């Protein structure tokens, strides 16, 4: 278990305060006494606001910039106890969020990205009294405020935030990236970000469209593909000669098109091999729904283990959803976007899904992991000239 990040310093903002603790909280008020149950206490809210504010990051000491509302999102009235558990706040969201907490002594504490793209703040010796909490966003949101879940816990916030993503238990293992089929999977370098991709030909890689494009525009074109990447080493690497983003994704008119093809300058697939793109047979779907296999495998570069290929050796299959989706319970995080879901097919491997997103299900025990099924991928490949 990882240690808590504990905070003992009073952190002052770097500019005049725009967040007003006297205003009524937008999403309500809770009263908790130490050793509260259930733990964590969770509140669903909308993150972000119109005010850009800059504070000092309580964890890193660097800038902590976010877009917040003026009124608190949530107010906590907290009663301490003699046994003195740490008190932590964390955010679980699909967007890049920023957390701001005003403690009972009037000081402000800010954090960005302690949990991947999500923040967390922990207090070793929490004060009794009123806490005002804001969940902001790193980027401007305009009138579109993303959904987020604010957790309050006396346990490790890292474990709490990942519990839903891992369906209660993290089943990922570290993969030997030098051996087949794992060496066909690689690190997609997007210069300012990264995703996961898979060789599906001598010089063709498939990944998620959202890794490259956003709101109909190319935002982070791929720069390089490193096959079998692990801890700074790789089996093979290649630059990028071009890419193709599914038109249905760019124009936003067709669901189920979150996939893209990257074309490499070097045919490294001739050295490593590649996965076949295929769909499941009706018999395979029935067997998977009955829990009898075939085993679905997955691997990618999760944000919490930077530069390490981790994977699932037997992902639970849920269903083939509508609009070219495959619903599953592989344990995935940010960075796994574009990673393959595949099965053994004799002495080869068949790609059946491209990891896309997680849909929030706040009224359910767990969220919903969604991959793009390969039906549309096959159709798209058939329209493209051979490379």
């Amino acid at each position: 278990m990882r240690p808590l990040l504990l905070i003992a310093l009073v952190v002052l903002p770097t500019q005049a305060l725009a967040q007003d603790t006297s205003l009524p909280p937008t999403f309500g008020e809770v009263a908790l006494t130490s050793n509260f149950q259930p733990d964590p206490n969770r509140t669903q809210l909308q993150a972000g606001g119109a005010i850009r504010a800059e504070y000092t990051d309580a964890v890193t000491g660097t800038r902590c910039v976010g877009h917040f509302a003026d009124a608190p999102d949530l107010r906590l009235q907290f009663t301490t106890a003699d046994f003195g558990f740490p008190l932590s706040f964390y955010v679980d969201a699909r967007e890049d969020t920023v957390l701001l907490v005003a403690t009972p002594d009037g000081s402000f504490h800010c954090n960005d990205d302690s949990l991947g793209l999500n923040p967390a703040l922990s207090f070793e010796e929490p004060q009794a009294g009123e806490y005002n909490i804001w969940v902001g966003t790193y980027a401007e949101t305009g009138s579109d405020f993303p959904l987020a879940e604010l957790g309050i816990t006396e346990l490790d916030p890292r474990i709490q935030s990942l519990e839903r993503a891992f369906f209660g238990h993290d089943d990922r293992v570290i993969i030997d990236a030098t051996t087949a089929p794992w060496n066909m999977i690689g690190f997609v370098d997007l210069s300012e970000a990264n995703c996961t991709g898979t060789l599906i030909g001598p010089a063709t890689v498939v990944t998620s469209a959202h890794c490259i494009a956003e709101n109909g525009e190319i935002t982070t074109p791929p720069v390089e593909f490193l096959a079998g990447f692990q801890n700074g080493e790789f089996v093979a690497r290649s630059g990028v000669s071009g890419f193709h983003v599914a038109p249905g994704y760019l124009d936003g008119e067709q669901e189920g098109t979150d996939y893209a093809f990257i074309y490499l300058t070097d045919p490294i697939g001739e050295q490593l091999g590649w996965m076949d793109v295929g769909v499941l047979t009706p018999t395979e779907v029935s067997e998977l729904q009955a829990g009898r296999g075939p085993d679905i495998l997955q691997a990618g570069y999760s944000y919490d283990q930077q530069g390490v290929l981790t994977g699932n050796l037997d992902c639970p299959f849920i269903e083939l959803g509508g609009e070219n989706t495959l619903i599953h319970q592989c344990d995935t995080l940010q960075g796994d976007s574009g990673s393959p879901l595949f099965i053994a097919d004799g002495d080869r491997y068949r790609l059946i899904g491209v990891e896309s997103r997680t849909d929030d299900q706040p009224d359910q025990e767990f969220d919903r992991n969604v991959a793009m099924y390969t039906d549309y991928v096959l159709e798209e490949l058939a329209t493209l000239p051979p490379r």
Side-chain angles (χ1 to χ4, degrees):
M1 182 179 296
R2 296 184 180 182
L4 287 168
L5 296 175
L6 301 176
I7 301 164
L9 298 177
V10 173
V11 182
L12 299 177
T14 59
Q15 64 176 39
L17 294 180
Q19 282 61 58
D20 190 343
T21 60
S22 68
L23 294 174
T26 304
F27 297 96
E29 184 170 329
V30 295
L32 298 173
T33 300
S34 186
N35 201 29
F36 56 85
Q37 296 295 326
D39 184 347
N41 175 278
R42 294 186 173 105
T43 300
Q44 303 294 323
L45 50 79
Q46 289 179 292
I51 301 171
R52 182 187 183 278
E54 181 178 320
Y55 294 81
T56 299
D57 195 301
V59 176
T60 66
T62 57
R63 292 193 313 157
C64 184
V65 178
H67 292 81
F68 304 95
D70 51 355
D73 292 315
L74 186 73
R75 179 169 292 145
L76 165 67
Q77 301 294 345
F78 186 65
T79 303
T80 56
D82 293 338
F83 31 79
F85 294 129
L87 180 67
S88 298
F89 304 85
Y90 67 93
V91 180
D92 190 3
R94 305 310 299 177
E95 303 295 330
D96 190 352
T97 52
V98 184
L99 179 63
L100 179 65
V101 175
T103 48
D105 62 3
S107 61
F108 281 72
H109 306 257
C110 187
N111 177 247
D112 183 20
D113 295 349
S114 277
L115 303 172
L117 294 180
N118 288 320
L121 288 166
S122 297
F123 302 90
E124 184 177 13
E125 298 180 356
Q127 306 164 26
E130 182 176 286
Y131 292 75
N132 288 284
I133 306 120
W134 290 261
V135 178
T137 55
Y138 181 74
E140 282 189 84
T141 58
S143 59
D144 183 18
F145 302 109
L147 293 175
E149 182 178 86
L150 172 65
I152 305 173
T153 182
E154 293 181 309
L155 305 172
D156 188 337
R158 297 176 184 273
I159 294 175
Q160 299 305 317
S161 66
L162 296 178
E163 183 181 67
R164 289 174 62 83
F166 290 153
F167 307 96
H169 184 266
D170 183 1
D171 292 316
R172 296 173 303 164
V173 296
I174 295 177
I175 299 296
D176 181 358
T178 65
T179 61
W182 312 107
N183 58 2
M184 304 172 195
I185 303 167
F187 185 92
V188 178
D189 183 0
L190 303 163
S191 183
E192 296 181 358
N194 68 271
C195 279
T196 304
T198 310
L199 283 163
I200 57 170
T204 303
V205 169
V206 66
T207 188
S208 290
H210 75 255
C211 296
I212 300 173
E214 184 178 5
N215 298 323
E217 296 183 358
I218 304 301
T219 54
T220 48
V223 175
E224 189 176 35
F225 179 72
L226 296 95
F229 184 75
Q230 194 79 297
N231 290 318
E233 303 292 332
F234 52 86
V235 176
R237 70 190 299 178
S238 174
V240 173
S241 62
F243 56 88
H244 173 86
V245 178
Y249 184 83
L250 287 174
D251 60 29
E253 294 182 357
Q254 187 178 11
E255 296 291 337
T257 55
D258 185 13
Y259 56 86
F261 308 117
I262 299 172
Y263 304 118
L264 306 180
T265 55
D266 301 311
I268 60 176
E270 294 179 355
Q271 168 192 347
L272 305 177
W274 60 85
M275 294 189 191
D276 302 317
V277 180
V279 296
L280 294 165
T281 67
T283 299
E284 287 171 333
V285 173
S286 297
E287 290 292 296
L288 285 166
Q289 289 175 328
R292 292 192 290 263
D295 292 341
I296 296 179
L297 304 110
Q298 178 275 339
Y301 295 95
S302 302
Y303 78 79
D304 66 330
Q305 299 197 52
Q306 292 290 318
V308 176
L309 186 67
T310 59
N312 297 263
L313 303 182
D314 184 10
C315 297
F317 172 87
I318 304 301
E319 63 179 346
L320 293 182
E323 299 292 348
N324 194 51
T325 57
L326 189 159
I327 314 305
H328 63 90
Q329 289 189 346
C330 298
D331 294 330
T332 57
L333 297 171
Q334 290 100 337
D336 284 299
S337 293
S339 64
L341 277 69
F342 62 101
I343 60 176
D345 200 6
D347 59 354
R348 293 189 62 80
Y349 297 91
R350 189 193 332 159
L351 181 82
I352 59 170
V354 179
E355 180 64 359
S356 174
R357 67 181 191 271
T358 298
D359 290 342
D360 293 325
Q361 295 191 127
D363 58 337
Q364 301 293 322
E365 183 179 7
F366 301 116
D367 293 330
R368 186 171 183 259
N369 275 2
V370 181
M372 297 294 97
Y373 189 45
T374 42
D375 193 6
Y376 289 2
V377 178
L378 281 169
E379 291 181 6
E380 189 85 20
L381 282 171
T383 68
L384 300 175
R387 299 182 67 95

